[in-house]
Amino acid sequence: MAIKSLDELRKIREASAKKVNLRETGNSSEDIIEVLIGMATCGIAAGARETLNTFIDEIDKKDIKNIRVIQVGCMGYCHSEPTVQVNIPGNSPVLYGNVDEKMAIDIIEKHILNNELLDENILIKTFEKA
């Protein structure tokens, strides 16, 4: 990709700085909900791929625009795979365990759209962002 102007270079720099900030601090200047899905071998063996696909399908069906689904590695809760972390701006991150396809739909309907926690599947809800 050839950069054709100084303005174009500045825009690329600004976009890259936002991505680095997100990686380093977990803070985003955007109003984006993040759904992190543990996709290590233990998660995949427990059905994380189906969970991931359900999240993507449901988000598409409901036409939710301000959400990002991110595949991550092991979250350290292999006994409760598939694990899913939900980061909603302004709220503490919530880590869910044993998230199958039905639970993924419940997380979208209740937690993400109605700000209602699903207590029975929460592993931890007060910690630093991944």
Side-chain angles (χ1 to χ4, degrees):
M1 174 176 88
I3 298 171
K4 297 178 181 158
S5 69
L6 184 58
D7 285 338
E8 190 176 337
L9 180 61
R10 286 183 178 140
K11 287 178 184 174
I12 292 170
R13 180 177 178 220
E14 185 178 316
S16 296
K18 285 180 182 178
K19 289 178 185 174
V20 169
N21 184 47
L22 178 61
R23 266 186 281 163
E24 290 180 351
T25 67
N27 292 325
S28 173
S29 59
E30 302 171 84
D31 189 25
I32 300 287
I33 297 167
E34 297 173 330
V35 177
L36 284 64
I37 301 176
M39 295 291 289
T41 52
C42 54
I44 292 170
R49 189 167 311 283
E50 292 78 12
T51 300
L52 173 79
N53 290 335
T54 301
F55 269 104
I56 292 170
D57 290 345
E58 286 298 309
I59 289 166
D60 187 48
K61 279 185 205 169
K62 296 185 182 309
D63 199 28
I64 304 170
K65 299 289 186 203
N66 65 331
I67 193 164
R68 179 179 339 187
V69 177
I70 304 166
Q71 298 180 42
V72 297
C74 182
M75 293 191 197
Y77 294 93
C78 301
H79 55 80
S80 298
E81 293 290 349
T83 53
V84 172
Q85 180 178 323
V86 178
N87 299 332
I88 296 178
N91 295 328
S92 295
V94 176
L95 182 64
Y96 289 101
N98 302 310
V99 181
D100 59 10
E101 291 102 326
K102 181 188 175 311
M103 185 71 188
I105 293 168
D106 286 347
I107 288 172
I108 292 170
E109 288 285 334
K110 294 178 181 171
H111 186 155
I112 293 172
L113 294 177
N114 294 306
N115 204 23
E116 181 183 321
L117 297 178
L118 293 93
D119 291 329
E120 65 276 2
N121 285 73
I122 292 177
L123 295 175
I124 188 165
K125 58 182 168 182
T126 55
F127 62 98
E128 295 296 317
K129 281 185 175 181

